[in-house]
Amino acid sequence: VCSSDLQTYKDIVLDAHLSGAIQQRTLNVLGQKYAVYDSNGDVNEEKTKLLNAQWFKKFLQYAYESKFYGYSLIQFGDLVDDKFTSVDLIPRQYVRPEFHIVIQTQASYTGVDYKDEPYSDWCIGVGDPRDLGLLMKAAPYVIWKKNTVGSWAEHAEIFGSPIRIGKTNVRDEATRKN
């Protein structure tokens, strides 16, 4: 996704209906309880605790958002007591998934290959590198809606006031002078 597409995505997710739909779907997924089962079908409590940790929920959120935004690169922090200290999304405007590099500026053509060591130990790419996400499909409709609402507001401002009709008795000299 190029930086202009990302700016468009930032603008369209301000739409109340679209953001509500995204949030509802996201909360339905993230609100589920996750568990790890052994071969006997019993819940492995120790491993299930790992899935209910804050780092895993953050990873799930970023991974799920990749359905909307397209390819996402997620970086994990240090591993302490079987838990990651942080989970961060590499800003999408700096990731070139088709070349698997992270660039320093949006205009750069070269960068660090995140599939090479040591980055490959801490970074996970989620989604298809050529996928532009569901927001690409929604963008034209949200932009059209935004323009239509603006045009309708302008129309209502111009023609929305009721017509006022004034009547006067022009034959009465005192009323006319007044």
Side-chain angles (χ1 to χ4, degrees):
V1 179
C2 70
S3 60
S4 63
D5 292 338
L6 291 172
Q7 186 58 47
T8 301
Y9 289 179
K10 287 179 183 178
D11 290 343
I12 69 169
V13 295
L14 295 175
D15 179 75
H17 182 255
L18 181 63
S19 65
I22 289 171
Q23 187 173 24
Q24 181 180 14
R25 290 184 66 166
T26 303
L27 291 176
N28 282 340
V29 170
L30 298 181
Q32 300 297 318
K33 300 254 187 229
Y34 296 96
V36 176
Y37 295 90
D38 61 18
S39 59
N40 297 327
D42 297 326
V43 175
N44 183 327
E45 296 293 335
E46 186 177 319
K47 291 183 180 177
T48 298
K49 269 186 186 177
L50 294 174
L51 293 184
N52 291 318
Q54 189 62 35
W55 69 266
F56 185 73
K57 291 179 181 180
K58 200 68 171 166
F59 171 75
L60 273 184
Q61 177 186 349
Y62 291 143
Y64 189 73
E65 286 175 355
S66 74
K67 295 300 285 176
F68 301 108
Y69 288 92
Y71 187 86
S72 298
L73 184 62
I74 303 168
Q75 179 178 351
F76 293 88
D78 293 331
L79 190 60
V80 177
D81 297 328
D82 291 332
K83 294 180 184 174
F84 290 103
T85 56
S86 64
V87 178
D88 297 308
L89 179 69
I90 306 288
R92 292 178 177 94
Q93 64 264 29
Y94 299 116
V95 178
R96 298 290 181 263
E98 59 275 13
F99 306 114
H100 44 85
I101 61 172
V102 176
I103 56 177
Q104 288 186 351
T105 65
Q106 293 182 28
S108 297
Y109 291 102
T110 59
V112 176
D113 189 338
Y114 57 81
K115 289 192 174 186
D116 289 342
E117 296 274 340
Y119 308 108
S120 61
D121 295 335
W122 303 104
C123 295
I124 294 178
V126 179
D128 183 354
R130 300 204 186 284
D131 183 21
L132 300 176
L134 293 174
L135 289 177
M136 181 59 73
K137 294 177 182 177
Y141 300 106
V142 174
I143 292 168
W144 182 270
K145 176 181 164 185
K146 184 179 177 182
N147 290 336
T148 303
V149 169
S151 296
W152 184 254
E154 184 179 340
H155 180 272
E157 187 177 321
I158 295 171
F159 301 108
S161 299
I163 297 174
R164 294 190 178 110
I165 300 173
K167 295 184 180 182
T168 182
N169 186 357
V170 293
R171 293 193 173 106
D172 180 25
E173 187 67 32
T175 304
R176 198 170 353 126
K177 285 182 180 179
N178 191 10

